[in-house]
């Protein structure tokens, strides 16, 4: 069993005790910003990010930042420049399929910084995934592994601290799915008040489309008293099984809902955003801290995810969702805070970010051959057999276990 984040483990006379030394609820102050005007909130975000970046920037040599061209990393780059740092940016693209070079050029001109553009081929990404898996103490995500290319380029430039925009999407609700989730919750709330939510769920369950079936599962869960929660991938689910849904909730979410009852709420009521942010913080320490550190440390670098600064986290999780999802935009208040300093139009451009490197690789011949071989290894694993016996219909998405079998092979 893993030690929970923010905890210490003591063993005395054969007795084990786990003690929490950090509690995210200490940072959760939901009433602090309820009546604040937009300009005041923007100024508070700006001050806190300025302080967080300054703490991590160091005093000598160039500072690196992984840049997508969006507000998360761009706002940090802005702060580094204003603090007097020599800034080198690193932008990743996928050969022949995806790049943001024009947008990156515009940002580099606005800030007066140098950006290295790194175009990646599928076979390079596969080779790198193996190397990253060997460096990590747990299976590594494909996109996290791909960020190693930025670290390798930074190492050649003499960079020792590499900033990134991780955390902003979760703290400020930056994913497009949050806009969709809000619409679904509003629709459910209206149906629930009209006494039609159950009927809507049953009808949706008969629609022969996977998204309709997922929506039916959401509606039935919410009607059964399971609050909305993030990070759920339903995959090939073909129907509703109450016992299975309860088990998923118990394993993955219940302990958070019990700790954050005011933020969890009931579907269609209250504010879902704070609960999503709080659960994200508790569920993802490995993604944001362990993997980048384990990948970069052998290269002599230290990752610097500035958005995970305590003061900034406290502000972000305490803000009502209305400040984060507004005017059809994600991260509205973060964009507005960045716009106070540099080119307001730029920060309001549509959201972008590092694209799904796994999907890109799997469009290539090399990627398809690699995946086929890994799927065979997955099917031979004990975990695959366990999941087949436990999941409804025995339907297991083999691709979701590929990281495990690659990591295990690299660990010997």
């Amino acid at each position: 069993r893993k030690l929970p984040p923010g905890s210490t483990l003591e063993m005395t006379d054969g007795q084990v005790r786990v003690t929490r030394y950090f509690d995210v609820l200490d940072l959760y102050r939901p009433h602090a910003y309820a009546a604040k005007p937009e300009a005041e909130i923007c100024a508070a975000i700006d001050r806190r990010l300025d302080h967080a970046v300054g703490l991590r920037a160091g005093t000598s040599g160039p500072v690196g930042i992984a840049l997508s061209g969006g507000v998360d990393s761009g706002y940090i780059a802005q702060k580094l420049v204003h603090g007097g740092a020599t800034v080198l940016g690193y932008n990743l693209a996928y050969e022949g399929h995806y790049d943001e070079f024009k947008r990156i050029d515009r940002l580099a001109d606005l800030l007066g910084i140098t950006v290295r553009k790194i175009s990646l081929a599928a076979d390079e990404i596969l080779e790198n995934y193996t190397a990253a898996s060997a460096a990590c103490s747990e299976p590594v995500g494909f996109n996290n592994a791909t960020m190693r290319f930025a670290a390798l380029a930074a190492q050649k430039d003499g960079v020792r601290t590499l900033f990134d925009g991780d955390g902003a999407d979760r703290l400020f609700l930056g994913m497009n799915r949050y806009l969709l989730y809000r619409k679904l919750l509003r629709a459910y709330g209206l149906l629930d008040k009209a006494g039609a939510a159950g009927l809507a769920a049953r009808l949706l369950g008969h629609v022969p489309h996977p998204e309709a079936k997922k929506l039916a599962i959401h509606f039935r869960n919410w009607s059964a008293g399971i609050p909305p929660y993030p990070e759920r991938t339903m995959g090939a689910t073909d129907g509703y099984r109450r016992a299975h849904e309860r088990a998923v909730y118990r394993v993955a979410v219940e302990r958070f809902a019990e700790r954050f009852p005011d933020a969890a709420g009931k579907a269609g009521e209250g504010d879902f955003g704070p609960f999503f942010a709080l659960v994200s913080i508790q569920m993802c320490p490995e993604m944001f801290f362990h993997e980048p550190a384990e990948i970069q440390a052998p290269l002599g670098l230290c990752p610097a995810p500035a958005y995970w600064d305590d003061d900034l986290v406290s502000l972000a999780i305490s803000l009502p969702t209305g400040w984060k999802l507004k005017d059809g935009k994600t991260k509205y208040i973060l964009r507005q805070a960045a716009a106070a300093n540099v080119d307001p139009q730029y920060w309001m451009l549509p959201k972008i970010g590092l694209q799904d490197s796994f999907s890109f690789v799997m469009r290539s011949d090399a990627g398809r051959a690699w995946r086929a071989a890994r799927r065979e290894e997955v099917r031979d694993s004990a975990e695959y057999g366990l999941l087949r016996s436990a999941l409804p219909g025995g339907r297991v998405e083999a691709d979701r276990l590929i990281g495990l079998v690659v990591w295990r092979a690299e660990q010997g």
Side-chain angles (χ1 to χ4, degrees), residues 59-388:
T59 56
S60 62
V63 177
I65 180 163
L67 282 174
S68 69
V71 68
D72 303 356
S73 53
Y75 196 3
I76 290 174
Q78 177 197 113
K79 288 297 179 188
L80 287 167
V81 170
H82 289 179
T86 300
V87 182
L88 295 175
Y90 302 91
N91 176 254
L92 304 183
Y94 303 141
E95 240 174 44
H97 286 271
Y98 166 82
D99 72 61
E100 290 288 351
F101 290 163
K102 289 183 179 178
R103 186 156 167 174
I104 281 292
D105 286 341
R106 180 175 171 184
L107 179 62
D109 288 343
L110 281 171
L111 300 179
I113 63 175
T114 298
V115 179
R116 311 272 191 248
K117 300 170 185 173
I118 306 166
S119 188
L120 303 173
D123 55 349
E124 290 181 284
I125 294 175
L126 288 173
E127 183 179 344
N128 171 78
Y129 186 66
T130 300
S133 296
C136 288
S137 59
E138 292 188 351
V140 61
F142 232 83
N143 270 8
N144 275 4
T146 304
M147 287 298 294
R148 181 171 175 267
F149 287 103
L152 287 166
Q155 181 193 41
K156 291 180 181 177
D157 288 331
V159 167
R160 291 293 173 265
T161 301
L162 184 61
F163 280 82
D164 59 63
D166 275 345
D169 272 340
R170 293 171 182 273
L171 294 171
F172 290 95
L173 304 185
M175 300 175 194
N176 289 327
R177 71 170 183 245
Y178 292 131
L179 289 170
L180 175 61
Y181 224 91
R182 183 170 64 174
K183 291 178 182 178
L184 295 181
L185 285 167
R186 286 175 174 173
Y188 175 84
L190 293 173
L191 288 167
D192 192 40
K193 285 181 181 178
L199 175 62
R202 289 193 295 275
L203 292 173
L204 285 165
H206 293 292
V207 177
H209 191 284
E211 294 306 316
K213 291 186 181 298
K214 290 178 185 179
L215 185 55
I217 290 171
H218 280 308
F219 277 20
R220 293 191 67 172
N221 274 345
W222 299 343
S223 295
I226 296 177
Y229 61 89
E231 309 301 340
R232 176 70 187 276
T233 301
M234 293 179 188
T237 299
D238 58 0
Y240 187 81
R241 291 170 174 79
R242 183 183 180 91
H244 176 68
E245 294 300 316
R246 286 284 181 188
V248 171
Y249 179 72
R250 277 198 309 274
V251 169
V253 185
E254 189 172 45
R255 64 189 184 278
F256 304 120
E258 288 174 346
R259 296 197 66 235
F260 312 136
D262 294 339
K266 180 185 174 185
E269 299 178 3
D271 187 357
F272 77 93
F275 181 61
F276 275 38
L278 287 162
V279 172
S280 291
I281 293 168
Q282 293 291 290
M283 290 175 75
C284 300
E286 292 90 348
M287 182 179 294
F288 292 114
F289 304 125
H290 297 290
E291 287 183 5
E294 289 181 328
I295 289 170
Q296 292 183 35
L299 304 175
L301 276 75
C302 177
Y307 286 103
W308 290 116
D309 182 84
D310 280 3
D311 287 341
L312 195 53
V313 167
S314 179
L315 185 154
I317 64 176
S318 302
L319 281 180
T321 301
W323 284 121
K324 301 174 185 181
L325 305 178
K326 187 175 179 181
D327 295 344
K329 293 189 181 299
T330 60
K331 293 181 290 197
Y332 171 86
I333 197 67
L334 189 68
R335 297 172 189 263
Q336 290 294 95
N341 300 317
V342 175
D343 191 354
Q345 287 72 37
Y346 182 86
W347 303 119
M348 293 300 164
L349 291 171
K351 170 187 165 54
I352 61 169
L354 181 63
Q355 301 299 294
D356 181 1
S357 55
F358 184 79
S359 296
F360 162 68
V361 169
M362 294 313 137
R363 287 195 290 265
S364 69
D365 291 340
R368 285 189 286 269
W370 183 88
R371 176 167 60 179
R374 301 294 81 73
R375 281 176 170 174
E376 287 301 313
E377 294 168 10
V378 165
R379 293 187 182 102
D380 289 337
S381 70
E383 289 81 7
Y384 184 80
L386 174 65
L387 288 170
R388 283 204 66 182

